[in-house]
Amino acid sequence: MSSTTSRHTALDALHRALGATMTDFAGWDMPLRYGSERDEHNAVRTRAGLFDLSHMGEITVTGPQAARFLNHALVGNIASVGLGRARYTMICREDGGILDDLIVYRTAESDFMIVANASNAQVVLDALTERAAGFDAEVRDDRDAYALIAVQGPESPGILKSLTDADLDGLKYYAGLPGTVAGVPALIARTGYTGEDGFELFVAPADAEKLWQALTRASEGVGLVPCGLSCRDTLRLEAGMPLYGHELSTALTPFDAGLGRVVKFEKEGDFVGREALEEAAARAQENPPRVLVGLVAEGRRVPRAGYAVVADGKVIGEVTSGAPSPTLGKPIAMAYVDAAHSAPGTPGVAVDIRGSHEPYEVVALPFYKRQK
């Protein structure tokens, strides 16, 4: 396939029939919005939203040494993940730089499914394939084997319960179980990227449209709406969730990103990047790196990635993501700032927006946390 040709998900025709504004994202033609991104955002916060996430990259790892191999290849302790559970982790380079952040599902004793970001799926696949040498484990590219549909928001459990006899009440956050939804075989995962309760449904591409239509019918009267990538970004930003290429990159180690907790030095055996990450952890203790904080505007101007954060006329950091927040009703941003200016309420912090220093309040992340 030529690099100029966008890939299309199994739901492409349906998105167009719904009048979606489409955009290229990581080589995929994806819905940006169907109508008002603010309405889509608010629907997920108050009712439910339906997302096509089929651009995400699924990679299956199987074999007698699958767990040992993943402990070597990733920074987390994957061998300790229980059957049917999932874990957020990262794959790093030898120098400790973050190649991608991942969710790993343990689907059987020696079977794992890794979900990578669309923009990094090939990089992750190549790295895992290379790192599998010497292990009795197989790395399989399953990107074409799955479509991924997410239903997110407070009404999502009720909508899904009407279509499945799977035990949703017993399904914990960051867990997955095989089941049938609207007659379609699926891996039902209680995961998401919105800050709300919700589910991600991994199904065969041929079944994706049937499932989407069934979820839409089941939610009549509830207020579920189709949602695009634009509101997915504002939802994850309010929830303080990092996005690769913004808060995470190969230039940062997990310790630089404030996510050192995902690195498990206590696990058995060596792992890729261990030495560099031990040094990064020690460095972070002695000389704290910049801290990822939330910024809330006092005015109306919206900060964007790459804008400088300033205090007393000096640059003290950089915005990584910024957008108007529908929930807060103000512009918000995530930014890495010097540790000395990272405490909530630190006075005199501003964002340089095209030469004008706009005042911002430093707040702890996340901006929004759902009521349990």
Side-chain angles (χ1 to χ4, degrees):
M1 188 180 289
S2 78
S3 58
T4 55
T5 307
S6 288
R7 299 185 68 183
H8 293 188
T9 77
L11 294 165
D12 185 73
L14 186 145
H15 298 317
R16 293 171 195 278
L18 289 170
T21 300
M22 306 297 285
T23 188
D24 177 79
F25 184 81
W28 290 83
D29 217 13
M30 297 295 293
L32 186 65
R33 70 180 74 81
Y34 297 84
S36 156
E37 53 206 46
R38 177 180 291 271
D39 290 348
E40 292 172 24
H41 179 111
N42 289 334
V44 176
R45 286 278 177 257
T46 59
R47 303 184 307 277
L50 194 57
F51 296 82
D52 178 10
L53 305 178
S54 303
H55 61 312
M56 301 295 280
E58 295 86 9
I59 300 163
T60 300
V61 175
T62 61
Q65 293 187 322
R68 267 187 63 196
F69 157 59
L70 288 173
N71 263 15
H72 164 75
L74 310 179
V75 301
N77 188 351
I78 308 306
S80 69
V81 177
L83 190 59
R85 298 307 302 266
R87 184 158 297 165
Y88 177 78
T89 188
M90 293 182 182
I91 181 167
C92 289
R93 301 193 306 193
E94 199 68 69
D95 67 0
I98 303 166
L99 279 175
D100 201 14
D101 60 335
L102 313 165
I103 295 180
V104 180
Y105 298 88
R106 190 170 203 156
T107 53
E109 186 58 37
S110 56
D111 294 357
F112 296 82
M113 184 171 74
I114 296 164
V115 181
N117 284 295
S119 55
N120 294 330
Q122 189 65 47
V123 169
V124 173
L125 178 68
D126 291 346
L128 288 173
T129 303
E130 185 183 316
R131 294 174 190 188
F135 289 91
D136 189 359
E138 180 199 345
V139 177
R140 189 171 72 234
D141 180 0
D142 269 350
R143 285 176 288 179
D144 293 335
Y146 293 103
L148 177 55
I149 294 173
V151 54
Q152 298 276 302
E155 299 288 350
S156 57
I159 293 167
L160 204 55
K161 275 180 190 174
S162 70
L163 295 173
T164 184
D165 56 8
D167 179 17
L168 298 187
D169 290 333
L171 186 64
K172 295 184 170 71
Y173 185 51
Y174 263 68
L177 83 169
T180 304
V181 183
V184 169
L187 173 66
I188 305 167
R190 200 165 206 154
T191 44
Y193 195 51
T194 62
E196 297 298 335
D197 191 12
F199 303 87
E200 294 183 320
L201 308 170
F202 296 85
V203 299
D207 291 330
E209 190 164 335
K210 177 186 174 185
L211 179 57
W212 181 283
Q213 301 285 23
L215 287 161
T216 302
R217 283 193 302 274
S219 65
E220 282 170 9
V222 174
L224 172 140
V225 301
C227 294
L229 291 178
S230 189
C231 84
R232 180 169 152 89
D233 192 49
T234 52
L235 289 160
R236 71 93 195 166
L237 178 55
E238 287 184 351
M241 294 176 167
L243 174 63
Y244 196 90
H246 288 257
E247 288 71 43
L248 308 174
S249 72
T250 51
L252 298 171
T253 72
F255 295 95
D256 298 320
L259 291 165
R261 65 181 181 276
V262 306
V263 181
K264 302 301 181 188
F265 293 120
E266 70 277 11
K267 65 180 174 176
E268 274 185 48
D270 198 11
F271 62 91
V272 177
R274 179 176 198 129
E275 193 176 322
L277 289 168
E278 283 174 341
E279 289 170 9
R283 216 167 36 243
Q285 287 285 330
E286 289 169 29
N287 183 20
R290 282 184 165 173
V291 178
L292 188 65
V293 300
L295 298 174
V296 178
E298 293 181 19
R300 309 303 307 167
R301 298 188 71 184
V302 179
R304 297 298 180 192
Y307 285 12
V309 183
V310 295
D312 303 321
K314 294 193 182 80
V315 174
I316 58 152
E318 185 176 300
V319 170
T320 53
S321 298
S325 164
T327 305
L328 275 64
K330 299 174 179 179
I332 60 172
M334 287 200 279
Y336 283 110
V337 302
D338 293 344
H341 293 86
S342 63
T346 299
V349 172
V351 176
D352 186 338
I353 300 180
R354 298 194 181 93
S356 173
H357 289 190
E358 301 288 329
Y360 270 74
E361 181 189 357
V362 179
V363 300
L365 292 170
F367 300 97
Y368 166 85
K369 201 164 193 176
R370 72 181 170 97
Q371 303 301 307
K372 299 287 187 196

